[in-house]
Amino acid sequence: MSWWRASVIGLFVIACFATLYFAATLFIPIALAILLSLLLTPLVRRLARIGVPRAVGAALAVLLLLSVIGGAGTMLAGPAAGWLDRAPVNMAILRLRLKELQTPLDDVRKAVAQMEQAASGGENRDVDQPQTVIVRSEGVVDTLMSGTGTVVAQFALTLVLLYFLLAGGDLFLRKSLRLAKRRGQRKRTVEIFRRAETDISTYLVTITLINVGLGVFTGLAMWAYGLPNAILWGSLAAVLNFVPFLGALATMVVIGLVSFITFDQIGYALLPPITFYALTAIEGQFVTPSVLGKRLTLNPVAVFLALMVWGWMWGIPGMLLAVPMLATFKIFCDNIPRLATIGALLDRR
């Protein structure tokens, strides 16, 4: 009978992943709204303690979130659009800079070209001359704007669901208490929900503040080096740091390319990416472990697998949500005795 139960569970898991994959446009806003509700629940609860109705507090929390996102978007839209439009020019400059480091290879190419010309008799035939073809394509910004409608719709759904989750408060807890028949079971359910909610909120708030701090220090360092649009690179570092390993690597590559394009001296151009690497090393090895503590650390193998799976299913949004969702799942497992084994497997210790 055990093999039959295992088969049913396996088929159920496969069906769940298939549903999440094919209905990504529906489940991404739901997952984001749930995580944001856990992040903003402490704020709504504090407003309720001073007499603000929960519905009003939820609306204020959503408006605060909109203000932060809108302000950041307005501040970063100009520099980001400028860099995207200048991408072909910047790539041309980057190729010229790389040519400075490829003098031996250029000499080899010239020697090969001379040998080919000598072998062909040195004749110049107009018929064989390659024709220049100019292909006009849409700009990078236009390409990105083509999917704006879907993104806006998903964002609107996220905000609406977020408001109802915040305004509903302990709706799911009350439903669970109705299903619990015994008084001791009800008390245990309340304790599990409260502890899990507190741990998840603490984790999300803490990791968000740590990433914002990394972004601030990155922006200040890039500004001190004279890198243009330092705020843009600091914001990029803060957002991509939600993706462990890969996010920091992508940010370091971007900063290195921009630095290589901006500065003439190779030694000076290496300083910004090296500085960013040092900041991420300090954050990952000292700041995050000391602030979060050992109780909320995750197994690196589980983190990498989560990034692979959710990145494959949901793309970049999945990679950004992978670790917060994994941490949320681990915290729930830690607080539910039947799932404690799974929580232990996801632990770093």
PDB file of all heavy atoms in Angstrom, residues 132-151:
ATOM      1  N   THR A 132      27.014  45.732 -48.146  1.00  0.00           N
ATOM      2  CA  THR A 132      26.618  46.157 -46.814  1.00  0.00           C
ATOM      3  C   THR A 132      25.105  46.184 -46.713  1.00  0.00           C
ATOM      4  O   THR A 132      24.431  46.820 -47.523  1.00  0.00           O
ATOM      5  CB  THR A 132      27.188  47.552 -46.496  1.00  0.00           C
ATOM      6  OG1 THR A 132      28.612  47.502 -46.622  1.00  0.00           O
ATOM      7  CG2 THR A 132      26.794  47.985 -45.092  1.00  0.00           C
ATOM      8  N   VAL A 133      24.589  45.488 -45.756  1.00  0.00           N
ATOM      9  CA  VAL A 133      23.145  45.424 -45.540  1.00  0.00           C
ATOM     10  C   VAL A 133      22.839  46.049 -44.194  1.00  0.00           C
ATOM     11  O   VAL A 133      23.415  45.657 -43.173  1.00  0.00           O
ATOM     12  CB  VAL A 133      22.636  43.967 -45.560  1.00  0.00           C
ATOM     13  CG1 VAL A 133      21.131  43.938 -45.302  1.00  0.00           C
ATOM     14  CG2 VAL A 133      22.975  43.316 -46.889  1.00  0.00           C
ATOM     15  N   ILE A 134      21.978  47.017 -44.198  1.00  0.00           N
ATOM     16  CA  ILE A 134      21.588  47.719 -42.982  1.00  0.00           C
ATOM     17  C   ILE A 134      20.226  47.192 -42.543  1.00  0.00           C
ATOM     18  O   ILE A 134      19.249  47.278 -43.295  1.00  0.00           O
ATOM     19  CB  ILE A 134      21.538  49.243 -43.189  1.00  0.00           C
ATOM     20  CG1 ILE A 134      22.917  49.754 -43.607  1.00  0.00           C
ATOM     21  CG2 ILE A 134      21.050  49.936 -41.928  1.00  0.00           C
ATOM     22  CD1 ILE A 134      22.942  51.232 -43.918  1.00  0.00           C
ATOM     23  N   VAL A 135      20.189  46.630 -41.370  1.00  0.00           N
ATOM     24  CA  VAL A 135      18.946  46.093 -40.833  1.00  0.00           C
ATOM     25  C   VAL A 135      18.488  46.997 -39.707  1.00  0.00           C
ATOM     26  O   VAL A 135      19.209  47.191 -38.728  1.00  0.00           O
ATOM     27  CB  VAL A 135      19.140  44.650 -40.315  1.00  0.00           C
ATOM     28  CG1 VAL A 135      17.836  44.122 -39.748  1.00  0.00           C
ATOM     29  CG2 VAL A 135      19.660  43.755 -41.436  1.00  0.00           C
ATOM     30  N   ARG A 136      17.329  47.557 -39.878  1.00  0.00           N
ATOM     31  CA  ARG A 136      16.769  48.449 -38.867  1.00  0.00           C
ATOM     32  C   ARG A 136      15.820  47.638 -37.983  1.00  0.00           C
ATOM     33  O   ARG A 136      14.892  47.023 -38.477  1.00  0.00           O
ATOM     34  CB  ARG A 136      16.016  49.624 -39.502  1.00  0.00           C
ATOM     35  CG  ARG A 136      16.932  50.518 -40.343  1.00  0.00           C
ATOM     36  CD  ARG A 136      16.198  51.748 -40.827  1.00  0.00           C
ATOM     37  NE  ARG A 136      17.065  52.605 -41.601  1.00  0.00           N
ATOM     38  CZ  ARG A 136      17.864  53.523 -41.096  1.00  0.00           C
ATOM     39  NH1 ARG A 136      17.891  53.699 -39.796  1.00  0.00           N
ATOM     40  NH2 ARG A 136      18.636  54.265 -41.861  1.00  0.00           N
ATOM     41  N   SER A 137      16.119  47.638 -36.728  1.00  0.00           N
ATOM     42  CA  SER A 137      15.301  46.912 -35.776  1.00  0.00           C
ATOM     43  C   SER A 137      14.808  47.859 -34.691  1.00  0.00           C
ATOM     44  O   SER A 137      15.297  48.974 -34.541  1.00  0.00           O
ATOM     45  CB  SER A 137      16.087  45.769 -35.127  1.00  0.00           C
ATOM     46  OG  SER A 137      17.206  46.282 -34.435  1.00  0.00           O
ATOM     47  N   GLU A 138      13.850  47.406 -33.928  1.00  0.00           N
ATOM     48  CA  GLU A 138      13.331  48.207 -32.850  1.00  0.00           C
ATOM     49  C   GLU A 138      14.374  48.356 -31.747  1.00  0.00           C
ATOM     50  O   GLU A 138      15.223  47.497 -31.557  1.00  0.00           O
ATOM     51  CB  GLU A 138      12.072  47.553 -32.276  1.00  0.00           C
ATOM     52  CG  GLU A 138      10.925  47.481 -33.288  1.00  0.00           C
ATOM     53  CD  GLU A 138       9.707  46.859 -32.665  1.00  0.00           C
ATOM     54  OE1 GLU A 138       9.817  46.385 -31.519  1.00  0.00           O
ATOM     55  OE2 GLU A 138       8.652  46.856 -33.316  1.00  0.00           O
ATOM     56  N   GLY A 139      14.296  49.459 -31.041  1.00  0.00           N
ATOM     57  CA  GLY A 139      15.210  49.680 -29.940  1.00  0.00           C
ATOM     58  C   GLY A 139      14.956  48.715 -28.801  1.00  0.00           C
ATOM     59  O   GLY A 139      13.939  48.029 -28.729  1.00  0.00           O
ATOM     60  N   VAL A 140      15.903  48.669 -27.887  1.00  0.00           N
ATOM     61  CA  VAL A 140      15.774  47.762 -26.751  1.00  0.00           C
ATOM     62  C   VAL A 140      14.584  48.143 -25.883  1.00  0.00           C
ATOM     63  O   VAL A 140      13.836  47.297 -25.390  1.00  0.00           O
ATOM     64  CB  VAL A 140      17.081  47.769 -25.922  1.00  0.00           C
ATOM     65  CG1 VAL A 140      16.971  46.840 -24.729  1.00  0.00           C
ATOM     66  CG2 VAL A 140      18.257  47.384 -26.799  1.00  0.00           C
ATOM     67  N   VAL A 141      14.388  49.456 -25.713  1.00  0.00           N
ATOM     68  CA  VAL A 141      13.271  49.919 -24.896  1.00  0.00           C
ATOM     69  C   VAL A 141      11.942  49.524 -25.516  1.00  0.00           C
ATOM     70  O   VAL A 141      11.009  49.103 -24.833  1.00  0.00           O
ATOM     71  CB  VAL A 141      13.356  51.445 -24.700  1.00  0.00           C
ATOM     72  CG1 VAL A 141      12.150  51.952 -23.913  1.00  0.00           C
ATOM     73  CG2 VAL A 141      14.641  51.825 -23.983  1.00  0.00           C
ATOM     74  N   ASP A 142      11.839  49.662 -26.869  1.00  0.00           N
ATOM     75  CA  ASP A 142      10.601  49.260 -27.536  1.00  0.00           C
ATOM     76  C   ASP A 142      10.330  47.772 -27.363  1.00  0.00           C
ATOM     77  O   ASP A 142       9.185  47.344 -27.199  1.00  0.00           O
ATOM     78  CB  ASP A 142      10.682  49.617 -29.026  1.00  0.00           C
ATOM     79  CG  ASP A 142      10.766  51.113 -29.252  1.00  0.00           C
ATOM     80  OD1 ASP A 142      10.269  51.855 -28.389  1.00  0.00           O
ATOM     81  OD2 ASP A 142      11.329  51.533 -30.285  1.00  0.00           O
ATOM     82  N   THR A 143      11.397  46.967 -27.412  1.00  0.00           N
ATOM     83  CA  THR A 143      11.226  45.530 -27.223  1.00  0.00           C
ATOM     84  C   THR A 143      10.736  45.204 -25.821  1.00  0.00           C
ATOM     85  O   THR A 143       9.849  44.353 -25.623  1.00  0.00           O
ATOM     86  CB  THR A 143      12.557  44.798 -27.485  1.00  0.00           C
ATOM     87  OG1 THR A 143      13.002  45.120 -28.803  1.00  0.00           O
ATOM     88  CG2 THR A 143      12.390  43.296 -27.360  1.00  0.00           C
ATOM     89  N   LEU A 144      11.284  45.898 -24.836  1.00  0.00           N
ATOM     90  CA  LEU A 144      10.861  45.647 -23.464  1.00  0.00           C
ATOM     91  C   LEU A 144       9.441  46.130 -23.209  1.00  0.00           C
ATOM     92  O   LEU A 144       8.698  45.529 -22.425  1.00  0.00           O
ATOM     93  CB  LEU A 144      11.825  46.337 -22.483  1.00  0.00           C
ATOM     94  CG  LEU A 144      13.256  45.794 -22.457  1.00  0.00           C
ATOM     95  CD1 LEU A 144      14.099  46.624 -21.490  1.00  0.00           C
ATOM     96  CD2 LEU A 144      13.285  44.336 -22.050  1.00  0.00           C
ATOM     97  N   MET A 145       9.058  47.210 -23.897  1.00  0.00           N
ATOM     98  CA  MET A 145       7.730  47.765 -23.696  1.00  0.00           C
ATOM     99  C   MET A 145       6.640  46.917 -24.320  1.00  0.00           C
ATOM    100  O   MET A 145       5.453  47.124 -24.044  1.00  0.00           O
ATOM    101  CB  MET A 145       7.674  49.190 -24.274  1.00  0.00           C
ATOM    102  CG  MET A 145       8.496  50.209 -23.517  1.00  0.00           C
ATOM    103  SD  MET A 145       7.888  50.491 -21.844  1.00  0.00           S
ATOM    104  CE  MET A 145       6.374  51.374 -22.211  1.00  0.00           C
ATOM    105  N   SER A 146       7.021  45.964 -25.188  1.00  0.00           N
ATOM    106  CA  SER A 146       6.010  45.149 -25.854  1.00  0.00           C
ATOM    107  C   SER A 146       5.227  44.286 -24.864  1.00  0.00           C
ATOM    108  O   SER A 146       4.076  43.928 -25.105  1.00  0.00           O
ATOM    109  CB  SER A 146       6.673  44.250 -26.904  1.00  0.00           C
ATOM    110  OG  SER A 146       7.622  43.395 -26.298  1.00  0.00           O
ATOM    111  N   GLY A 147       5.835  43.915 -23.731  1.00  0.00           N
ATOM    112  CA  GLY A 147       5.143  43.106 -22.731  1.00  0.00           C
ATOM    113  C   GLY A 147       4.665  43.897 -21.530  1.00  0.00           C
ATOM    114  O   GLY A 147       4.371  43.310 -20.489  1.00  0.00           O
ATOM    115  N   THR A 148       4.555  45.225 -21.694  1.00  0.00           N
ATOM    116  CA  THR A 148       4.169  46.066 -20.564  1.00  0.00           C
ATOM    117  C   THR A 148       2.747  45.788 -20.115  1.00  0.00           C
ATOM    118  O   THR A 148       2.445  45.809 -18.913  1.00  0.00           O
ATOM    119  CB  THR A 148       4.319  47.550 -20.945  1.00  0.00           C
ATOM    120  OG1 THR A 148       5.667  47.791 -21.341  1.00  0.00           O
ATOM    121  CG2 THR A 148       3.962  48.444 -19.789  1.00  0.00           C
ATOM    122  N   GLY A 149       1.841  45.516 -21.066  1.00  0.00           N
ATOM    123  CA  GLY A 149       0.451  45.280 -20.706  1.00  0.00           C
ATOM    124  C   GLY A 149       0.283  44.117 -19.754  1.00  0.00           C
ATOM    125  O   GLY A 149      -0.442  44.215 -18.752  1.00  0.00           O
ATOM    126  N   THR A 150       0.972  43.024 -20.024  1.00  0.00           N
ATOM    127  CA  THR A 150       0.879  41.856 -19.147  1.00  0.00           C
ATOM    128  C   THR A 150       1.455  42.157 -17.772  1.00  0.00           C
ATOM    129  O   THR A 150       0.879  41.755 -16.746  1.00  0.00           O
ATOM    130  CB  THR A 150       1.628  40.675 -19.771  1.00  0.00           C
ATOM    131  OG1 THR A 150       1.091  40.402 -21.071  1.00  0.00           O
ATOM    132  CG2 THR A 150       1.506  39.441 -18.915  1.00  0.00           C
ATOM    133  N   VAL A 151       2.586  42.862 -17.733  1.00  0.00           N
ATOM    134  CA  VAL A 151       3.211  43.188 -16.454  1.00  0.00           C
ATOM    135  C   VAL A 151       2.299  44.093 -15.625  1.00  0.00           C
ATOM    136  O   VAL A 151       2.139  43.893 -14.412  1.00  0.00           O
ATOM    137  CB  VAL A 151       4.583  43.846 -16.690  1.00  0.00           C
ATOM    138  CG1 VAL A 151       5.184  44.312 -15.369  1.00  0.00           C
ATOM    139  CG2 VAL A 151       5.520  42.882 -17.387  1.00  0.00           C
TER     140      VAL A 151
END
